[in-house]
Amino acid sequence: MQDNIITGFSRFTKEEKLNWVAARFLPDAQSDAEALRSFWHTDEGQQRILDGFSENTISNYPLPFGIAPNFLIDGRVYAVPMVIEESSVVAAASSAAKFWLSRGGFRTEVLDTEKIGQVHFSWQGDVALLRQHLPALKAQLLADAAHLTANMEKRGGGVKGIELIDLTGQEPDYYQLRVAFETCDSMGANFINSVLEEFGQGLQRYLKASPDFQGSSARAEIIMAILSNYTPDCVVRATVSCEVETLKGVCPDMAPEEFAGKFAKAVRIARLDPYRATTHNKGIFNGIDAVVLATANDFRAIEACGHAYAARDGQYRSLSQCTVEDGAFTFWLDLPLAVGTVGGLTRLHPVARRALDILGQPSARELMSIIAATGLAQNFAAVRSLVTTGIQKGHMKMHLMNMLNHLQATSEEQQSAIAHFEDKVVSFTAVRDFLERGGKHLAS
Ligand code: MEV
């Protein structure tokens, strides 16, 4: 136990860190260290870039980088890059994209792109007086932060509004400056946080310098200054729609009207039941996270915001909605998405850079549209499977391949196994037994 405690780990070289971890925590120190080392980039420069993203690195963690082609979004066809470890997700997105390609594709609308930051502070004073001072305070804060905002303003962004929020009814002496930002093509986290910290100091300077505020009212204690990842006004809507009769063939055993009705009911269930809503939205995020990751955006922020938004009326609900009216099937998704296509890791990460190139170097608004369309496609594919064949059929095929790879089956054995398990339940034991019996499919 004492052996596992270390000081100065961060000062070790990477090789020393790897060896230290392997010696203490891995079953076969030498070969396990070698296995982790094998994921180091062969190009030292590239490896240095990756190591620069984080701390205490001992290896890289590879994930598959796939493409879902044929995404017709607002009249343009995209091949969408997706990074995800779950089988069937890219296949499902590709299949839904192809399905909608011949039915008008995805239409999107960016409803707004406002981001929010907060200066949380404690203050004892006359709030009515502070409100009277608000125009002068705002002007002072903006002037003091001009060195931070000038570049963003040149690009059309900057601070869009400053509000004083009185929350003393919920927490003694607690106020916020709630600040609205436009950050153009960047996600803007650093920009927002720098401006907020400057605003915090500016508020303190203002109160101290103004003769109207004396004693304790001349002092504000800044609790924290930080962006909010909840961006309910940075929202995109993605929609697909078609005549119900053009859904013919979506499932051989179901008439298009029956499919549309069952699909819409499944979506309504996800709006009313949080248990189902969580899984339904998880399916949406299968698509969203994969593109967010591929483009080196912050998937934790996107997830946190999406789920908060899904519960905005007090109950956690499906992010997507569906109607079947007057012979028309309409399926859409409203999603808050604070993403960037410049800054952060977007151009630094060697694969993310290529992902953005594959997408034609989109603006942040265009990327919002692409991500939302992918989320909607994913949701369409999942619910389509659920209300028709069930999802296990497709999943098990991919799962079988993973097991066969794990068990190092030859390509001949893989082909036999696919044929053999076509009408049988796939389990690890069944696949292993099949291979141990010689891996031959005998046509029944
Ligand atoms: C699996 O990763 C995602 C689904 O469970 C989503 C859903 O149920 O809608 C298939």
Side-chain angles (χ1 to χ4, degrees), residues 86 89 276 279-280 282-283 286 379 382-383 386 391 395:
E86 183 175 332
V89 168
R276 175 57 203 149
T279 318
H280 181 96
K282 188 273 184 188
N286 276 345
N379 193 209
V383 177
L386 288 169
I391 59 155
H395 266 214

Side-chain angles (χ1 to χ4, degrees), residues 69-78 97 100-107 373:
N70 301 319
F71 260 93
L72 174 60
I73 306 171
D74 301 325
R76 181 168 167 190
V77 179
Y78 295 87
W100 287 104
L101 181 67
S102 56
R103 290 167 177 82
F106 297 80
R107 281 173 289 111

Side-chain angles (χ1 to χ4, degrees), residues 26-276:
L26 290 171
D28 183 341
Q30 212 178 336
S31 71
D32 286 325
E34 194 45 51
L36 287 171
R37 206 178 287 109
S38 73
F39 291 102
W40 289 11
H41 205 293
T42 46
D43 178 326
E44 267 182 43
Q46 293 287 345
Q47 186 55 55
R48 212 170 307 120
I49 293 173
L50 294 177
D51 287 338
F53 296 161
S54 185
E55 303 79 33
N56 288 347
T57 55
I58 59 170
S59 187
N60 301 315
Y61 185 111
L63 282 173
F65 176 73
I67 295 289
N70 301 319
F71 260 93
L72 174 60
I73 306 171
D74 301 325
R76 181 168 167 190
V77 179
Y78 295 87
V80 177
M82 300 179 78
V83 170
I84 186 148
E85 86 298 349
E86 183 175 332
S87 52
S88 301
V89 168
V90 177
S94 308
S95 143
K98 189 124 180 250
F99 182 87
W100 287 104
L101 181 67
S102 56
R103 290 167 177 82
F106 297 80
R107 281 173 289 111
T108 74
E109 190 187 351
V110 173
L111 303 174
D112 206 342
T113 56
E114 179 184 282
K115 286 156 195 154
I116 295 290
Q118 298 163 302
V119 179
H120 305 263
F121 64 99
S122 280
W123 181 66
Q124 291 168 353
D126 176 357
V127 67
L129 182 61
L130 186 54
R131 283 200 193 287
Q132 280 173 25
H133 274 260
L134 206 51
L137 170 63
K138 282 185 196 172
Q140 186 65 54
L141 294 179
L142 290 171
D144 289 355
H147 64 290
L148 296 170
T149 54
N151 265 342
M152 189 60 88
E153 279 166 13
K154 265 190 223 146
R155 287 162 30 209
V159 176
K160 296 292 163 195
I162 306 175
E163 264 181 281
L164 173 68
I165 315 259
D166 178 353
L167 290 161
T168 51
Q170 293 171 58
E171 173 69 27
D173 309 331
Y174 170 45
Y175 295 89
Q176 287 179 6
L177 288 180
R178 192 171 291 177
V179 187
F181 293 90
E182 170 56 55
T183 59
C184 306
D185 283 338
S186 64
M187 193 223 168
N190 280 329
F191 167 72
I192 293 175
N193 289 334
S194 302
V195 171
L196 292 171
E197 288 188 5
E198 181 66 45
F199 279 6
Q201 290 161 19
L203 170 69
Q204 289 176 314
R205 280 194 301 269
Y206 185 94
L207 293 172
K208 207 165 162 194
S210 168
D212 281 357
F213 299 103
Q214 298 289 333
S216 62
S217 78
R219 281 191 305 276
E221 185 196 2
I222 306 302
I223 311 292
M224 55 194 159
I226 182 77
L227 66 75
S228 169
N229 285 122
Y230 187 46
T231 55
D233 290 316
C234 184
V235 176
V236 57
R237 171 171 294 176
T239 309
V240 285
S241 61
C242 65
E243 297 298 310
V244 169
E245 64 193 32
T246 67
L247 293 168
K248 201 166 170 194
V250 75
C251 171
D253 313 330
M254 237 184 232
E257 296 74 21
E258 186 190 353
F259 168 77
K262 205 171 167 192
F263 188 102
K265 198 175 193 73
V267 177
R268 286 200 299 279
I269 290 169
R271 288 205 56 85
L272 66 88
D273 173 33
Y275 284 90
R276 175 57 203 149

